[in-house]
Amino acid sequence: MNLDARIPNGPIETKWQTWLDAHGLVGPRNRAGKDVIVIGTGLAGGAAAATLGAHGFKVKSFCFQDSPRRAHSIAAQGGINASKDYANEGDSTRRLFVDTMKGGDFRSREANVWRLAELSENIIDQAVAQGVPFNREYGGQLATRSFGGVLVQRTFYSRGQTGQQLLLGAYSALEHQVAAGNCTVYDRHEMLDIVIIDGEARGVIVRNLVTGEIERHSADAVVLASGGYTNVYYLSTNAMGSNVTATWRAHKHGAYMANPCYTQIHPTCIPQTGEYQSKLTLMSESLRNDGRVWVPRKGKDARPPAEIPENERYYFLEERYPAFGNLAPRDIASRAAKVVCDEGLGVGGTGRGVYLDFRDVINEHGKDVVEGRYQNLFEMYERITGENPYETPMMIYPAPHYAMGGLWVDYELQTTIPGLFAIGEANFSDHGANRLGASALMQALADGYFIAPHTVTHHMTKKRDESVSISDPEFEAAQDSVEDHIAALVDVGGSRSAQEFHRELGNVMLDKCGMTRNAEGLIEALGEVRKIKDEFWRDLRVDPGVEELNQSLEYANRVSDFLEMGELMCHDALRREESCGGHFREEYETEDGEALRDDENFAKVTAWEYQGEAGDPVPHDEQLIFENVKLATRSYK
């Protein structure tokens, strides 16, 4: 299949406006006759549903949580990027574009990234108008700070609760449209299948998680904003319920999955403490603005950190990357932490920890300044660990955090299934092989507020047979498929919980498709994942009760998709014979241990086509074209 990204002609600076000037419109009086389904109510989904509703379309908004306000976007802490240059440092759309392309190790599509940088300023204006309480300087101007991989302060923030405050803004806008009668929210509903009619997405099958009822919903377009798949690793910073089911079921119907091997291991998380832990906690990257990362120069040094003198501390990020220091990008900072721990210099009970120390900034600026910037983060750390980070350095270690891969989409954010759009973390388009900090919220809101509402509208201007009914045979078949899958899960009748299989999968993925990979390990992982999947379908135990609230069934259903997704991630990682960003193949590294790209053979997106249970997935490539940035070896030294 030819992957046509449908990028407008012309200079990159004018492509989006060129597209806007020419796209189709639905007249105001006709919009109420058009239905849109939005799956997910995080920043991308909430913003898209609210905006499409405000345009006058009829929107059905679905989430599996008990409220849209509980979407995982609420956990984002540190900030959101925008090139407004309030710090007067010479920032610009082009600088944000270049930083994002470089940060992603030149594995993202130029036109999409430029549009993201261009729209970033609109996002801040939108959020301020909604009343989002960004931090401000003494004179009233919005405050900014730095994040990894950049040399300017372009990150707007609301203490350590930026995602929460932005989500409340989107939620308020959504509820306004609910009150206006344009949006209907279906909480505690999970999408389990997509309905394709005449080659187009025309509806979904959902399960009411409270009653167990299987429901059919039709629409003129479907938007997936269901987040990423990082919980395939079992332990991650994602919410426990985050899952890949919606995008994976779309993939099985013909939506290609792009770059699934690109996942981000975040360097600033609280280390794992036990085998049966079910969740990891992220400490914001913004802490690296003021905290210094170090380990003792002597291995297994049991002294309290305060007793280790300055000349016996190894500030490994500052020494190795003097230009960026503690603000090295996430992929580089994570691997550096892994290296020092592998060398036996790690701290904590497991030896898998490094210090994040605020001693110097507190001595220089005082505790009050640090409280103003990070108070809730410090409180959260103390509640979890029992240690006061104002007095003792935090202990951190990398943990799975974000999926750069996702459903392949063109410039209009449409998947390979016409009428099916993917936005936010559910698509692959903007971050390449590594996402820079504070860019996730930026992409989610750009997609939700400013891109999808126009591209979905454009799709709905196309002529087609409008006579779709939930009584159509395609809906019947999709519902039968969902019910068969649920029955199969329940009928296994084995002895092991879904959580056991999920934990086993996560161990394989983290060990062999995690921060570093190699061909031998990936081949082993493929075999081990298939073995776990076979065992899952032989020995799974699900609590009885299909027609009622059954969290055991919900979990098993999601794990069945994680198992298949994990297999695809290994296929993709094995095929990409280079190192780039978060994908670090041990066979491809420079003499000083940095990622070694192969631009001649792998400057491309790989989108995978599902071939059924019996067949291996088939890769399709989209060649990336670089006309506005110069491909260069990434260096932060």
Side-chain angles (χ1 to χ4, degrees):
M1 180 178 182
N2 178 34
L3 292 173
D4 182 3
R6 299 200 291 180
I7 299 169
N9 295 323
I12 197 167
E13 295 88 348
T14 61
K15 285 182 185 295
W16 180 232
Q17 190 58 52
T18 299
W19 189 92
L20 286 174
D21 290 344
H23 85 286
L25 297 173
V26 177
R29 296 174 67 86
N30 296 325
R31 293 174 192 167
K34 301 287 186 182
D35 300 308
V36 182
I37 286 173
V38 180
I39 304 295
T41 56
L43 285 179
T51 308
L52 285 161
H55 287 181
F57 298 107
K58 294 301 179 187
V59 180
K60 293 181 178 179
S61 170
F62 293 87
C63 67
F64 65 78
Q65 297 92 349
D66 54 6
S67 165
R69 291 176 56 177
R70 291 176 64 84
H72 179 61
S73 299
I74 204 167
Q77 300 163 335
I80 176 170
N81 287 334
S83 57
K84 280 184 167 297
D85 195 28
Y86 281 5
N88 194 25
E89 298 167 317
D91 199 9
S92 65
T93 295
R94 180 167 292 279
R95 284 190 188 277
L96 176 50
F97 162 71
V98 172
D99 284 344
T100 307
M101 293 296 297
K102 177 184 174 185
D105 221 347
F106 303 96
R107 290 293 177 264
S108 44
R109 192 188 287 152
E110 275 194 349
N112 290 59
V113 176
W114 181 279
R115 179 176 60 184
L116 176 67
E118 181 181 356
L119 292 173
S120 65
E121 297 187 23
N122 301 24
I123 296 167
I124 302 303
D125 295 341
Q126 172 93 1
V128 170
Q130 290 173 338
V132 172
F134 286 121
N135 272 42
R136 292 177 181 268
E137 305 290 358
Y138 180 76
Q141 181 170 277
L142 299 187
T144 53
R145 59 189 175 196
S146 298
F147 260 57
V150 301
L151 294 174
V152 295
Q153 299 177 72
R154 64 161 69 103
T155 304
F156 295 78
Y157 63 100
S158 186
R159 194 171 282 186
Q161 308 169 341
T162 314
Q164 178 179 347
Q165 298 302 330
L166 289 169
L167 185 64
L168 287 173
Y171 172 73
S172 299
L174 175 60
E175 287 300 300
H176 181 68
Q177 294 308 314
V178 170
N182 294 328
C183 294
T184 303
V185 173
Y186 296 82
D187 54 32
R188 301 297 290 161
H189 283 68
E190 183 158 33
M191 176 190 142
L192 297 184
D193 211 350
I194 189 96
V195 179
I196 311 292
I197 298 179
D198 295 332
E200 291 195 14
R202 297 307 301 270
V204 296
I205 304 296
V206 300
R207 181 172 183 268
N208 182 322
L209 299 180
V210 177
T211 66
E213 183 183 1
I214 304 298
E215 301 175 6
R216 308 174 187 182
H217 295 269
S218 64
D220 294 283
V222 177
V223 181
L224 299 185
S226 50
Y229 50 82
T230 308
N231 269 354
V232 75
Y233 290 102
Y234 181 65
L235 282 182
S236 86
T237 65
N238 284 192
M240 292 285 288
S242 295
N243 64 83
V244 74
T245 291
T247 53
W248 187 254
R249 302 293 169 89
H251 173 60
K252 294 174 87 165
H253 276 289
Y256 290 5
M257 188 70 76
N259 297 338
C261 76
Y262 290 164
T263 52
Q264 183 167 83
I265 313 294
H266 196 295
T268 319
C269 306
I270 298 177
Q272 181 180 357
T273 56
E275 184 181 354
Y276 290 99
Q277 191 169 335
S278 58
K279 176 83 177 66
L280 292 173
T281 303
L282 171 69
M283 299 305 297
S284 170
E285 179 179 326
S286 64
L287 294 167
R288 288 195 282 142
N289 267 280
D290 291 307
R292 300 181 70 190
V293 180
W294 63 277
V295 290
R297 288 193 181 275
K298 183 176 69 176
K300 298 181 180 178
D301 192 329
R303 290 175 293 178
E307 295 179 9
I308 299 176
E310 189 69 18
N311 63 354
E312 295 182 35
R313 298 181 174 198
Y314 178 20
Y315 294 95
F316 54 94
L317 289 177
E318 297 175 33
E319 290 188 23
R320 185 158 185 169
Y321 306 101
F324 284 75
N326 297 297
L327 286 174
R330 292 174 176 180
D331 57 330
I332 288 173
S334 291
R335 278 197 297 278
K338 181 178 185 298
V339 167
V340 296
C341 290
D342 288 346
E343 292 172 346
L345 302 180
V347 298
T350 64
R352 292 284 165 190
V354 300
Y355 290 128
L356 179 60
D357 195 342
F358 293 85
R359 180 195 64 177
D360 292 348
V361 69
I362 291 174
N363 288 340
E364 184 176 355
H365 297 293
K367 182 181 175 184
D368 289 348
V369 170
V370 175
E371 280 183 341
R373 294 170 180 166
Y374 313 111
Q375 182 180 12
N376 65 301
L377 297 175
F378 276 52
E379 291 172 352
M380 181 176 74
Y381 182 87
E382 186 170 8
R383 282 199 300 272
I384 293 172
T385 67
E387 293 187 341
N388 182 347
Y390 292 106
E391 300 172 356
T392 304
M394 291 183 181
M395 204 178 298
I396 58 172
Y397 192 70
H401 177 60
Y402 190 88
M404 282 77 72
L407 291 178
W408 185 90
V409 291
D410 60 19
Y411 189 70
E412 298 174 10
L413 306 185
Q414 188 167 221
T415 70
T416 44
I417 299 175
L420 179 67
F421 297 77
I423 63 176
E425 196 178 353
N427 76 30
F428 87 101
S429 69
D430 290 1
H431 306 300
N434 175 54
R435 178 174 67 79
L436 288 179
S439 289
L441 305 186
M442 179 173 63
Q443 188 216 346
L445 291 178
D447 287 359
Y449 282 132
F450 301 112
I451 303 173
H454 297 290
T455 58
V456 170
T457 297
H458 178 63
H459 169 75
M460 289 192 289
T461 63
K462 297 175 180 175
K463 292 182 179 179
R464 63 182 178 201
D465 181 8
E466 300 288 351
S467 57
V468 170
S469 163
I470 59 172
S471 300
D472 287 347
E474 290 85 353
F475 277 92
E476 187 79 32
Q479 180 169 345
D480 288 346
S481 174
V482 165
E483 290 175 341
D484 289 347
H485 188 78
I486 290 173
L489 291 167
V490 174
D491 291 345
V492 174
S495 62
R496 298 175 59 192
S497 69
Q499 189 177 34
E500 288 183 61
F501 292 103
H502 193 185
R503 187 185 297 119
E504 197 173 339
L505 169 69
N507 288 337
V508 172
M509 296 300 295
L510 196 57
D511 185 35
K512 296 176 178 173
C513 193
M515 263 192 285
T516 60
R517 305 101 186 255
N518 58 52
E520 182 182 3
L522 288 166
I523 291 170
E524 290 174 0
L526 274 170
E528 291 172 21
V529 172
R530 287 167 179 158
K531 185 177 176 184
I532 296 169
K533 189 168 66 175
D534 291 343
E535 190 66 18
F536 175 87
W537 286 106
R538 278 200 300 268
D539 199 21
L540 172 69
R541 186 191 71 242
V542 173
D543 295 337
V546 172
E547 297 178 348
E548 58 192 48
L549 177 68
N550 186 342
Q551 293 182 315
S552 170
L553 175 59
E554 290 173 33
Y555 193 5
N557 186 55
R558 294 166 188 167
V559 173
S560 71
D561 295 323
F562 279 136
L563 286 164
E564 296 179 3
M565 182 68 196
E567 196 173 334
L568 183 64
M569 291 167 65
C570 294
H571 276 293
D572 191 45
L574 185 61
R575 183 173 185 264
R576 185 166 286 276
E577 295 179 332
E578 66 163 351
S579 291
C580 56
H583 169 67
F584 193 89
R585 282 282 296 269
E586 292 172 338
E587 305 97 315
Y588 308 99
E589 60 178 315
T590 61
E591 290 182 357
D592 55 353
E594 302 294 343
L596 182 61
R597 291 199 324 260
D598 180 352
D599 293 334
E600 183 175 349
N601 295 303
F602 290 100
K604 59 189 180 185
V605 175
T606 299
W608 294 86
E609 180 182 5
Y610 185 71
Q611 292 292 306
E613 278 292 309
D616 284 338
V618 174
H620 302 267
D621 292 327
E622 175 197 344
Q623 190 66 38
L624 293 170
I625 299 170
F626 300 96
E627 298 174 326
N628 296 277
V629 292
K630 182 179 178 182
L631 282 170
T633 300
R634 203 164 55 128
S635 174
Y636 293 92
K637 294 184 176 179

